[in-house]
């Protein structure tokens, strides 16, 4: 199964991806299960979460560019209110 990929992107990369045009999503601290029915790329504007799968636990925080693969089943633990922009592929 594909894994979550994270990176700290350059401003140039963010501009090329046009993250300013992506949809905004926010969530207060909470824990919930999620399954991705398509690939998602997200850029975290603020906050911190831990996303746990059967294979790994990944901490995601402000400044991270994250790819969630289609079919991924996970549990989100929102530690600090999260604000992210995202796009589906």
């Amino acid at each position: 199964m594909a894994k979550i990929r994270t990176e700290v992107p350059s401003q140039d990369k963010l501009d090329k991806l046009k993250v300013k045009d992506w949809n905004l999503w926010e969530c207060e601290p909470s824990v919930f299960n999620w399954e991705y029915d398509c690939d998602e790329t997200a850029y975290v504007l603020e906050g911190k979460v831990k996303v746990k799968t059967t294979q790994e636990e990944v901490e995601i925080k402000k400044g991270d560019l994250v790819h969630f693969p289609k079919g991924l089943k996970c549990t989100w633990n929102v530690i600090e209110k999260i604000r992210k922009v995202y796009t589906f592929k």
Side-chain angles (χ1 to χ4, degrees):
M1 172 168 276
K3 293 187 173 190
I4 299 166
R5 294 191 323 263
T6 64
E7 66 177 282
V8 178
S10 65
Q11 185 60 51
D12 187 50
K13 181 165 186 172
L14 294 175
D15 292 343
K16 285 179 182 173
L17 291 170
K18 298 182 180 178
V19 297
K20 291 177 182 170
D21 298 334
W22 294 0
N23 297 307
L24 178 65
W25 183 81
E26 300 180 352
C27 184
E28 296 292 334
S30 56
V31 177
F32 59 91
N33 294 324
W34 193 255
E35 181 174 351
Y36 290 85
D37 56 5
C38 58
D39 286 349
E40 178 184 319
T41 302
Y43 180 66
V44 181
L45 302 171
E46 69 178 64
K48 181 166 57 172
V49 303
K50 288 188 178 178
V51 179
K52 186 174 183 177
T53 69
T54 56
Q55 298 176 324
E56 62 185 338
E57 183 174 64
V58 177
E59 185 173 282
I60 301 166
K61 61 191 178 313
K62 178 181 177 177
D64 286 346
L65 183 68
V66 189
H67 173 76
F68 301 99
K70 179 180 179 178
L72 181 77
K73 294 179 182 179
C74 58
T75 301
W76 277 61
N77 180 1
V78 181
I79 299 163
E80 297 171 8
K81 179 183 176 179
I82 185 112
R83 290 183 71 235
K84 68 173 184 165
V85 288
Y86 66 94
T87 188
F88 297 118
K89 301 212 175 177

